[in-house]
Amino acid sequence: MSSDPPAFELPLRLFGGFRVLIDALHAELARQGHPDVRPMHGFVFQAVGSAGTTATELGRRLGISKQAAAKTIKGLERLGYLKRGVDPRDSRRKTVQLTDRGIDCLQRSAQIFVDLHAGWAKTIGRQRLRELEEDLIKVTPPEVFRLDMPGWFGGG
């Protein structure tokens, strides 16, 4: 009888590690003035990017419908993270941009991830964490950040 864990535990453990990090991120973001930010919002902020985008393009990037993207934009606009505008090169094209509050949230998130990474290094050791990261690089696609995860999970 093998002492190895059942194979189905691997994706659950990987997702569990993701969940631990994301839950800790959002708890700290709440303490730092961003209590309404949810995990999907990070994907939205990244998909909007520094140049902005349209609702249609946002939906495509996230793998969700245009209607789901519009609903998400409306909610984040109400919370002060996104603003709508008009493309200066084409007045027919409506854009979505990050507000200063959205940019602040992204900047805080980046620092919080640095702190969480350091915490994991302290718990399992810097070398072991580096080896774990190297192993994950070997078994995952090169595009480390898939923006279409919300759609993949059934987010719209």
Side-chain angles (χ1 to χ4, degrees):
M1 185 165 172
S2 173
S3 64
D4 292 340
F8 70 83
E9 282 190 17
L10 176 61
L12 297 174
R13 294 285 178 192
L14 290 169
F15 186 73
F18 173 81
R19 178 76 190 258
V20 165
L21 288 168
I22 297 303
D23 286 349
L25 167 73
H26 285 273
E28 185 58 29
L29 281 172
R31 282 190 283 280
Q32 293 186 24
H34 296 280
D36 298 316
V37 175
R38 300 292 172 255
M40 182 176 170
H41 298 160
F43 290 97
V44 174
F45 297 163
Q46 292 294 328
V48 168
S50 60
T53 191
T54 64
T56 301
E57 181 61 19
L58 180 65
R60 189 190 67 69
R61 289 177 186 175
L62 296 174
I64 62 175
S65 69
K66 181 181 175 182
Q67 294 78 14
K71 183 178 177 182
T72 300
I73 291 165
K74 185 176 182 179
L76 287 170
E77 189 176 30
R78 191 174 6 87
L79 293 171
Y81 291 98
L82 295 179
K83 62 184 175 187
R84 296 178 205 235
V86 177
D87 187 332
R89 297 170 306 225
D90 182 353
S91 62
R92 297 168 296 169
R93 187 171 180 257
K94 308 301 180 217
T95 62
V96 180
Q97 300 268 331
L98 290 169
T99 63
D100 289 344
R101 183 166 172 75
I103 293 167
D104 179 71
C105 185
L106 279 178
Q107 290 171 341
R108 288 175 187 273
S109 294
Q111 183 55 53
I112 294 166
F113 276 127
V114 168
D115 297 341
L116 292 170
H117 189 272
W120 276 40
K122 185 176 179 184
T123 300
I124 67 173
R126 187 168 306 283
Q127 181 59 34
R128 180 64 204 116
L129 180 57
R130 184 67 197 132
E131 290 168 359
L132 173 62
E133 291 170 328
E134 289 170 1
D135 289 343
L136 288 170
I137 288 167
K138 291 176 190 173
V139 298
T140 58
E143 64 275 357
V144 69
F145 192 63
R146 296 279 310 261
L147 292 174
D148 67 347
M149 282 188 191
W152 184 82
F153 270 119

